[in-house]
Amino acid sequence: MRPALPSLRISLIALASLLVGVAIGALAMLIAFPFLFAPPPANDAPPAPMQAQVTSGQPATATQHFRFDESAPGRDPIHWANGTGRFMQSEQGWVLRLNSDFKAGPGPNFWLYLNTRAVGEESAFQVDTGRVRLARLRSFEGAQNYLLPPGMDPSQFHTLTIWCESFGVYIGSGAIERSGG
């Protein structure tokens, strides 16, 4: 009976090593996938009313705009977002527009949120109980439009934030500023 014990021990060690290897491999692929297979840059056309204003040279109607904060304490070389955007009225309702200068470091499962308070790092995001999840980020680069839910008014929010759902990590944010046209 004694020879079975080392064989069992070796089998358990081999099984544990296999499980650890599979877990590490899955985690590595989850992290590497967005870098290896990033979606192409977006190039959405501006919403219809804005497109007409751009073509005619007329000033834009009242909007709320933002710039991703490049000095936010939650940023690091891997988790970042740069560029500008705005909220504007369209025929369908309010639209969040990330402008063509938008770029973010790639990662898995990024979502756009509206926050009721200033956000510049994980802790500020997590304590905002009034935050609203808008949409999954479609691309890490380029112009993108996201229709807000009916009845939602972006002037009721303070910050737009990009958040990684998979790892609970802050990516970037911009304070929403009001302007008129």
Side-chain angles (χ1 to χ4, degrees):
M1 291 280 164
R2 247 173 131 79
L5 191 57
S7 175
L8 178 61
R9 186 175 294 153
I10 291 170
S11 295
L12 289 175
I13 290 171
L15 179 61
S17 298
L18 176 68
L19 292 175
V20 168
V22 167
I24 290 172
L27 181 61
M29 194 59 205
L30 180 66
I31 293 169
F33 190 84
F35 292 93
L36 298 174
F37 305 104
N43 190 21
D44 292 358
M50 185 176 178
Q51 181 65 45
Q53 291 165 349
V54 168
T55 307
S56 69
Q58 295 175 353
T61 58
T63 63
Q64 291 82 41
H65 60 276
F66 58 89
R67 173 179 295 282
F68 285 97
D69 184 358
E70 296 183 20
S71 63
R75 286 174 59 106
D76 61 44
I78 297 172
H79 307 106
W80 57 271
N82 295 332
T84 60
R86 68 178 75 193
F87 294 90
M88 66 195 75
Q89 284 280 357
S90 76
E91 295 171 2
Q92 295 82 27
W94 281 101
V95 174
L96 160 63
R97 172 143 176 101
L98 298 176
N99 293 329
S100 60
D101 64 349
F102 169 74
K103 285 189 177 189
N109 206 14
F110 286 4
W111 283 79
L112 298 163
Y113 279 85
L114 284 174
N115 295 94
T116 58
R117 59 183 299 161
V119 173
E121 58 188 343
E122 280 90 358
S123 61
F125 178 86
Q126 292 167 341
V127 297
D128 182 11
T129 57
R131 68 181 179 259
V132 175
R133 187 165 109 164
L134 290 179
R136 188 173 186 160
L137 188 67
R138 294 191 334 261
S139 178
F140 305 120
E141 183 178 350
Q144 302 170 54
N145 299 325
Y146 299 90
L147 185 63
L148 273 59
M152 183 175 286
D153 180 356
S155 69
Q156 303 302 308
F157 296 91
H158 184 281
T159 305
L160 174 78
T161 302
I162 300 176
W163 182 258
C164 175
E165 292 283 327
S166 295
F167 295 104
V169 176
Y170 168 87
I171 305 302
S173 63
I176 301 168
E177 299 175 19
R178 280 67 173 160
S179 66

